[in-house]
Amino acid sequence: MNKLLFKNFEIIDPSQNLNSIKDLLIVDGKIQEISHSLDISDVKIIDGSNKTLIPGLIDFHVHYRDPGETYKEDIKTGSEASAKGGFTTVVMMSNTNPTIDNLGALIEQKKIIDENCRIRVLQTSSVTIGRKGESLVDIDLLSKNGVVSFSDDGDVISDPKILDQALELANKNNRTILEHCEDHGLLNDGIINDGSVALRLGLKSRPKSAEISSVKRDIEIAKKNGRWVYLQHISCKESVEIIREAKKQGVKVTAEVTPHHLYMNELWTYGEKGELPSWIDLGAYDTNTRVNPPLRSEDDRLSLLEAVNDNTIDVIATDHAPHSRGDKLNTFDSAPAGINGAETAFVTLLQLVEKKELSLQKIIETMCNKPGEILDDILNLKIGKIKKGYSADLVAVDNNDTTKINEDFFISKSDNSPLIGSTMKGKIKMTIFNGKVIFEDKK
Amino acid sequence: MNFLRKHLLDIDHLSKDYIYDLLDGIKQIKRKEYKSNIKGKDVCALFYEDSTRTKLSFQKAVTNLGLNFHNLDVQKSSLSKGETFYNTIKTINSIGMDLIILRHFSSGACYFLANNTASSVINAGDGSHAHPTQTLSDLFTIFELDKKFEDLEISIIGDVLYSRVARSTLLGFLKMGSKINILGPKELTPHVITEIYESLDKSYKNKIKFYEDFEKPILDSNFIMALRIQKERFDSGSFMNFQTYKWKIDSDRLKTFNNDILIMHPGPVNEEIELSHEIVHSNRSVISKQVENGVHVRQKVIEELLTNE
């Protein structure tokens, strides 16, 4: 028997009403016992004085760029970056080159994952072949072979009929469609939020209406035939209001938000960490702040936080989107959109706890409990909770230590983060997957 | 204290006092009361958009200063062979230039250049963002008429949304204490502008007003600045048709204005769209003065930057 004992950790899991200093015993990769003063002999002990133990984080939205753009990231480096960020389970999007849209590609991915990953890496398939929005992939077959769900992420599914069919088939297989909610017709080739920053910097605005229109449509489709839909990276106040109302009416909708939309607003485009500068200085047009959907106004940011706090938003996921330095070294309108988030997500959210905008309990609910329940329903995984019999996926956090985010910080192949230069309160000290320590901060 | 430092990318970091110093200096240059003593510097024009007047104006300024003018013809250069902007910058950097004058279709391109070169940079127009030497030319054109900026009302007419000239000029006049009227189609004159400028400086509060028609404050203003309408935006846009643009100023319209009003335009003019031919060449137009002054302004700015080094 393989045993590991965590002693004197502050163990927190709101789903189990855990919020005190306890010991935790792992046996053969499963959580065996959580209790005060467990005295067991012949066991390796990890001492947790002044440290917090939470369930391993689950990331419902990552881009590891593999296959096709492995100069930005690959499955191995991406999963290692996620492990460092406290994630023990991740869901990869399918917008690689080629697209993951058939059984052969899926089997190939699984092989790469098995050979390279020390965390649970799950795969989505695209909804339509080649993500072209035209013909559906074999949803039944791919579901039987273990895809988590389906997503054309990067693009919305433009044809409502295709979305409806996809939802019907996916739901039948206990799966859903993860929708990138941005209506093409309304994007206006825009690149940042429609507002004063866009106007001052002379950058084309990407209107909220593109997201709102798409959120509305998807909810109508879900409502009409009683389907379950999952809306990715919600970014604005109006979307939140529509989702809140839909949930009241019993529509089965799961909503996701990213840490960057919760932590940053459009002012970050000025390159001064959210401060409004007196004049536009050399740090402005920071291409690392370019992301789709764009960073919105402070008002939007606050409404997203409110939505997490009142359960309108269910899941926080990173949308980890690595891009190389060469890619981002360009003018703002030519640089690709995306923020490198796997390693910074959790500590970023801890800053919101510090500011009393979010509680640690809420972070655990949205990054562990809720996504764990969704995945448990789909793949019968017992994850996302500190509970007897559940997979021993855990993260140890030191709230008194600090995380310095500089260019040397990243183990991802890319470092496209607007947070470079920030010092964050709190640090991930250890990530445990399946009862094994897979990341340890030795500094 | 605000001064040009190493680059001129926008006018937002220039103080009112410093702008006055510049304007005084430009006046000396224009009156030939002053001779520069910078020598042997290399100036490169890097233009990613077609421009005849701005480039020619810079070239004349560089020649007047006795400096070396190098022109990189982007259309025929490695850009068309797929070289990235960053690598082009690094190449120019290795060749070695004291000053690069950049015109680029992307807003913010000049900041990207300034971050990645050892040279000084002048923004000769970047996307919809800024065109600082145009603004200084506009300010100087008014300054040399011995007008007090604080007493002036300037009416800016047309496409404020996409215009880099509008963005810089608005801020220039606000800094100098003038009042601004904005006239044009709602879609091209976003009111959020007020919010931006008021957040920069409390003294700009209530200095900007919006109009959709030739109302009294417009007719009574001291200067009209008509902006170039970019035809391509109108043809692709669904809200307006280029032919129905209704803010043209012609001789009949001019009669409704006050008798001292002066007409400006950053050029090039779409004749019979923004201004009639008669107006462009009338005694109310200071357009040719703006162009003439542009050379002196650029001379002054180049000298400031290269002396600061």
Side-chain angles (χ1 to χ4, degrees):
Chain A
M1 273 201 298
N2 209 336
K3 287 185 188 176
L4 193 58
L5 180 62
F6 288 77
K7 271 198 97 61
N8 301 317
F9 276 86
E10 180 192 29
I11 299 180
I12 304 186
D13 182 353
S15 75
Q16 307 303 308
N17 285 321
L18 285 169
N19 193 8
S20 61
I21 292 173
K22 282 190 171 154
D23 298 348
L24 182 147
L25 177 68
I26 297 172
V27 178
D28 289 339
K30 298 266 187 293
I31 295 169
Q32 177 68 32
E33 199 176 349
I34 309 136
S35 170
H36 291 288
S37 334
L38 283 170
D39 284 317
I40 297 152
S41 56
D42 193 24
V43 63
K44 194 186 169 205
I45 293 175
I46 294 174
D47 179 58
S49 304
N50 302 318
K51 289 188 196 74
T52 304
L53 197 64
I54 64 170
L57 306 174
I58 297 166
D59 193 344
F60 235 94
H61 196 148
V62 301
H63 299 271
Y64 287 163
R65 310 298 189 203
D66 192 352
E69 291 181 305
T70 49
Y71 69 98
K72 296 174 194 258
E73 192 81 287
D74 61 39
I75 289 178
K76 188 178 168 73
T77 59
S79 61
E80 290 297 314
S82 292
K84 183 183 162 198
F87 294 98
T88 48
T89 302
V90 301
V91 175
M92 287 197 296
M93 292 301 118
S94 64
N95 64 337
T96 47
N97 187 15
T99 310
I100 308 305
D101 59 5
N102 62 78
L103 189 57
L106 180 67
I107 290 168
E108 193 59 35
Q109 289 293 85
K110 277 190 185 167
K111 219 169 83 191
I112 298 170
I113 293 165
D114 286 345
E115 284 165 10
N116 292 289
C117 299
R118 300 191 298 147
I119 59 171
R120 189 179 293 107
V121 176
L122 305 172
Q123 178 74 52
T124 58
S125 158
S126 63
V127 181
T128 61
I129 292 168
R131 295 174 57 253
K132 291 200 173 100
E134 288 159 6
S135 38
L136 289 181
V137 301
D138 192 336
I139 290 181
D140 286 337
L141 181 70
L142 291 162
S143 298
K144 280 189 190 80
N145 285 279
V147 302
V148 186
S149 270
F150 299 83
S151 180
D152 275 3
D153 182 40
D155 292 296
V156 74
I157 299 162
S158 289
D159 186 339
K161 209 166 130 197
I162 292 201
L163 176 64
D164 190 36
Q165 284 172 354
L167 282 170
E168 184 185 0
L169 285 165
N171 285 182
K172 195 184 80 188
N173 284 287
N174 214 13
R175 281 155 175 83
T176 187
I177 306 300
L178 316 169
E179 254 279 71
H180 175 111
C181 289
E182 284 194 307
D183 193 334
H184 279 296
L186 294 169
L187 286 178
N188 195 31
D189 298 327
I191 49 182
I192 73 166
N193 186 45
D194 195 0
S196 61
V197 182
L199 197 62
R200 177 139 181 242
L201 293 175
L203 294 173
K204 271 196 161 186
S205 59
R206 194 172 180 97
K208 286 179 182 183
S209 55
E211 178 176 298
I212 298 164
S213 145
S214 166
V215 165
K216 264 189 191 158
R217 185 203 66 166
D218 285 14
I219 284 179
E220 279 309 312
I221 290 172
K223 188 169 146 186
K224 184 167 154 269
N225 293 319
R227 315 253 192 252
W228 166 38
V229 67
Y230 179 115
L231 307 178
Q232 298 178 299
H233 46 54
I234 292 305
S235 72
C236 70
K237 187 179 183 175
E238 291 82 351
S239 301
V240 161
E241 282 162 5
I242 296 163
I243 295 164
R244 187 177 286 129
E245 187 51 37
K247 285 193 164 185
K248 264 187 212 156
Q249 292 175 19
V251 181
K252 204 170 173 211
V253 51
T254 304
E256 171 195 289
V257 68
T258 71
H260 48 265
H261 287 105
L262 290 173
Y263 187 71
M264 295 180 242
N265 60 28
E266 59 189 335
L267 291 177
W268 280 69
T269 320
Y270 287 126
E272 303 196 8
K273 305 252 177 293
E275 297 294 318
L276 177 70
S278 314
W279 59 76
I280 300 167
D281 218 331
L282 290 179
Y285 298 92
D286 179 3
T287 55
N288 285 336
T289 64
R290 187 174 168 194
V291 65
N292 293 336
L295 301 173
R296 302 283 185 195
S297 69
E298 179 63 5
D299 195 32
D300 289 310
R301 190 186 74 86
L302 293 174
S303 69
L304 292 171
L305 280 163
E306 192 190 344
V308 171
N309 284 318
D310 74 5
N311 303 325
T312 300
I313 288 176
D314 307 275
V315 172
I316 300 178
T318 64
D319 193 1
H320 174 66
H323 288 293
S324 73
R325 286 199 191 168
D327 291 340
K328 283 284 190 181
L329 262 176
N330 214 325
T331 56
F332 198 88
D333 55 1
S334 298
I339 292 177
N340 192 310
E343 291 164 74
T344 58
F346 183 73
V347 280
T348 302
L349 295 170
L350 285 183
Q351 309 320 294
L352 300 177
V353 175
E354 197 68 17
K355 285 165 73 184
K356 302 216 180 334
E357 293 182 333
L358 208 59
S359 65
L360 180 59
Q361 279 72 13
K362 211 53 178 178
I363 296 174
I364 296 169
E365 282 174 28
T366 51
M367 297 185 89
C368 311
N369 301 157
K370 184 74 191 184
E373 282 162 19
I374 297 172
L375 291 173
D376 202 10
D377 281 349
I378 296 174
L379 295 168
N380 200 17
L381 303 166
K382 288 195 175 329
I383 58 170
K385 287 175 186 166
I386 298 184
K387 187 176 174 182
K388 187 177 157 68
Y390 268 58
S391 180
D393 301 347
L394 301 159
V395 186
V397 182
D398 187 343
N399 286 311
N400 299 312
D401 205 343
T402 53
T403 303
K404 285 200 177 84
I405 300 172
N406 51 31
E407 278 153 358
D408 301 329
F409 171 79
F410 293 89
I411 59 169
S412 161
K413 277 188 187 174
S414 303
D415 60 1
N416 52 309
S417 169
L419 299 171
I420 288 177
S422 304
T423 299
M424 306 272 189
K425 192 160 183 293
K427 196 172 200 187
I428 292 175
K429 301 304 281 187
M430 197 180 269
T431 306
I432 299 103
F433 172 70
N434 222 355
K436 286 195 196 84
V437 177
I438 53 160
F439 166 77
E440 194 173 356
D441 172 56
K442 298 218 173 84
K443 279 168 207 161
Chain B
M1 192 177 74
N2 296 316
F3 50 99
L4 284 187
R5 298 181 298 179
K6 197 177 173 186
H7 312 292
L8 180 65
L9 308 179
D10 192 344
I11 60 148
D12 56 359
H13 63 293
L14 307 183
S15 70
K16 185 174 176 178
D17 287 347
Y18 183 73
I19 292 174
Y20 271 121
D21 288 349
L22 280 178
L23 297 176
D24 283 330
I26 296 163
K27 198 183 233 172
Q28 285 188 323
I29 289 174
K30 187 168 182 180
R31 290 178 176 167
K32 303 196 184 345
E33 292 169 0
Y34 170 82
K35 206 160 163 44
S36 139
N37 51 14
I38 48 167
K39 281 191 197 99
K41 302 276 187 181
D42 291 297
V43 180
C44 176
L46 180 58
F47 276 54
Y48 282 82
E49 271 185 343
D50 291 337
S51 156
T52 40
R53 36 196 302 146
T54 305
K55 195 196 263 185
L56 195 61
S57 178
F58 271 109
Q59 186 167 6
K60 180 85 188 312
V62 171
T63 320
N64 286 353
L65 286 163
L67 307 178
N68 309 316
F69 185 82
H70 309 275
N71 179 40
L72 198 142
D73 200 340
V74 174
Q75 304 305 327
K76 293 175 192 155
S77 80
S78 43
L79 178 80
S80 50
K81 296 176 192 158
E83 188 179 59
T84 64
F85 185 35
Y86 179 76
N87 287 341
T88 304
I89 292 171
K90 287 299 171 195
T91 302
I92 298 174
N93 201 46
S94 302
I95 293 168
M97 291 290 163
D98 298 291
L99 170 68
I100 301 171
I101 297 159
L102 178 72
R103 160 73 59 98
H104 202 284
F105 46 81
S106 294
S107 300
C110 55
Y111 295 84
F112 184 71
L113 171 61
N115 276 321
N116 292 298
T117 180
S119 316
S120 284
V121 175
I122 294 177
N123 179 10
D126 63 328
S128 303
H129 167 243
H131 195 354
T133 57
Q134 176 69 46
T135 297
L136 291 172
S137 306
D138 298 345
L139 292 177
F140 182 75
T141 302
I142 291 175
F143 176 75
E144 68 168 354
L145 294 169
D146 284 331
K147 304 272 186 194
K148 258 193 95 184
F149 287 108
E150 288 86 349
D151 300 336
L152 299 180
E153 272 194 43
I154 322 281
S155 295
I156 298 177
I157 302 185
D159 179 358
V160 172
L161 178 59
Y162 295 107
S163 169
R164 55 190 170 218
V165 174
R167 233 175 230 89
S168 293
T169 297
L170 240 157
L171 186 55
F173 284 117
L174 283 174
K175 276 178 184 277
M176 304 314 281
S178 309
K179 282 190 184 151
I180 314 272
N181 303 313
I182 295 176
L183 169 65
K186 256 194 294 198
E187 293 82 354
L188 296 179
T189 55
H191 291 205
V192 63
I193 282 178
T194 329
E195 187 189 303
I196 300 172
Y197 292 115
E198 285 182 4
S199 71
L200 294 181
D201 194 316
K202 274 185 230 141
S203 72
Y204 303 161
K205 207 164 167 58
N206 300 322
K207 286 281 173 69
I208 307 175
K209 298 225 157 63
F210 291 88
Y211 300 90
E212 275 183 70
D213 234 317
F214 285 96
E215 290 167 56
K216 201 163 182 308
I218 307 278
L219 306 179
D220 289 344
S221 52
N222 307 88
F223 286 88
I224 294 281
M225 167 146 338
L227 295 175
R228 179 180 165 78
I229 292 298
Q230 283 152 307
K231 196 164 186 277
E232 60 280 9
R233 309 217 191 268
F234 275 65
D235 290 346
S236 60
S238 52
F239 60 88
M240 253 192 97
N241 171 327
F242 193 53
Q243 305 309 325
T244 62
Y245 184 77
K246 60 172 190 184
W247 293 273
K248 173 177 148 184
I249 298 169
D250 54 19
S251 308
D252 286 343
R253 178 74 78 192
L254 188 68
K255 284 178 199 149
T256 64
F257 289 111
N258 76 75
N259 292 333
D260 299 323
I261 200 158
L262 292 172
I263 312 282
M264 306 178 88
H265 192 295
V269 177
N270 288 306
E271 259 191 21
E272 307 309 331
I273 303 289
E274 301 109 29
L275 301 173
S276 73
H277 176 81
E278 286 72 26
I279 294 294
V280 174
H281 301 282
S282 74
N283 60 357
R284 297 283 94 207
S285 161
V286 291
I287 297 171
S288 55
K289 285 262 178 265
Q290 288 173 274
V291 178
E292 182 195 341
N293 291 334
V295 178
H296 308 303
V297 165
R298 289 172 179 121
Q299 204 172 318
K300 177 67 186 167
V301 168
I302 292 167
E303 202 195 322
E304 272 302 278
L305 292 178
L306 294 180
T307 316
N308 269 356
E309 262 191 327

